[in-house]
Amino acid sequence: MNIKMVDLKGQYDKISEEVNKGIQDVINSTSFINGPQVKEFNKNLSDYHSGINVVSCANGTDALQIALMSLDLKPGDEVIVPVHTYVATAEVIALLRLKPIFVDVDPDFFTIDINQIEEKITKNTKAIVPVHLYGQCANMEVIMQIASKHNLYVIEDTAQAIGAIYTFSNGKTAIAGTIGDIGTTSFFPSKNLGCYGDGGAMFIKDNELAKKCHMIANHGQSIKYHHDIIGCNSRLDSMQAAILNVKLKYIDDYSGARQKAATIYNELLKDVFGIKTPKVSDFSTHVYHQYTLVVDESINRNDLKTFLKGKGVPSMIYYPIPLHRQKAYEKELVSGENFPVTERLSNTVLSLPIHTELTREEQEFVVSSLIEFLNK
Ligand SMILES: *Cc1c(COP(=O)(O)O)cnc(C)c1O
């Protein structure tokens, strides 16, 4: 068996004709940058997100950076961010000379702990960047209440949760990325909606802010050679847009396949001692960018990972070194802070293979290999 963490080739094989044609059309037109495919994709992605303004850009990290740049924050302003996340979320904050203020995460859902946000708010706090980690939304209702009370911007990092649905306590629903002031996402190949290179996008409620983000992504201009604000060069190229136009048609099937695989894992792992399967909150669907277990501390997680590898079963640790232990971010820490949940998760999480092409047979092999290790 050749089990993969993600199977982009298997997924491509099923849509290759459409994708190849899309790429060929771009080559024939030679509109490699800002071709009609980009406009079309922005429109399609907007339609998929209840008609919200979409500005595409070069990658998910840039999306976060441009979003922050659009808010006119000043050096030293504080931005609240979960400490258990991919580095990009905090990186752009520090890069813009803003101050990342780390908050620990919820042990069940792995998203920012809503009970620890308010104690971190100071007069310099300007924004919160919740991350919808592994594919399920943070508790946006509470986050939006806190933000509104303290007059803070909210930027949702939706890189791992495109298409997840959030349900408010009044029963209203919203698609991930459309709840805060700006949502950002990534089309990195292995993301749930991945292109064949780098890509990203922002979802922006306010029309003026959307125009501004579009300008920032294009050297601060809306008319060529008229640079009204300082921007950067961050564009989704036409070929990536052509690929995404095809793949976006299948996103619900892709999420469905991931959810089905997660249900099978849940079933197979139900009574396995020492293994905690991912919990789904009652306010968000889960699109399983990752299927992440928490392994009991009595089990040597790293030995388990090595054992699985020996059986041909890949697994990953997201993330092995928490941000507050990274050299680049040590100086950002406020003294006396500690993050026990994140600390523990970095030693106990293990993500199993999950992708759109995974078969039940492969999943059974993954789980039987895991059980074999536990019984040793
Ligand atoms: C992937 C990812 C990003 C960055 O996206 P890129 O397209 O790789 O720049 C940001 N935040 C999170 C949570 C991610 O998973």
Side-chain angles (χ1 to χ4, degrees), residues 86-114:
Y86 183 55
V87 66
T89 325
E91 188 175 43
V92 292
I93 298 170
L95 184 74
L96 295 172
R97 298 281 180 261
L98 305 168
K99 189 163 178 51
I101 300 293
F102 293 120
V103 173
D104 211 351
V105 294
D106 181 291
D108 285 328
F109 304 117
F110 315 119
T111 47
I112 193 165
D113 185 344
I114 48 163

Side-chain angles (χ1 to χ4, degrees), residues 58-64 85-89 91 131-134 157-160 184-191 197-200 289 319:
N59 56 68
T61 307
D62 278 7
L64 285 161
T85 180
Y86 183 55
V87 66
T89 325
E91 188 175 43
V131 180
H132 303 325
L133 202 74
Y134 304 151
D157 183 345
T158 316
Q160 299 188 7
T184 66
T185 198
S186 162
F187 308 120
F188 185 81
S190 63
K191 296 282 156 83
D198 274 312
H289 175 58
Y319 297 92

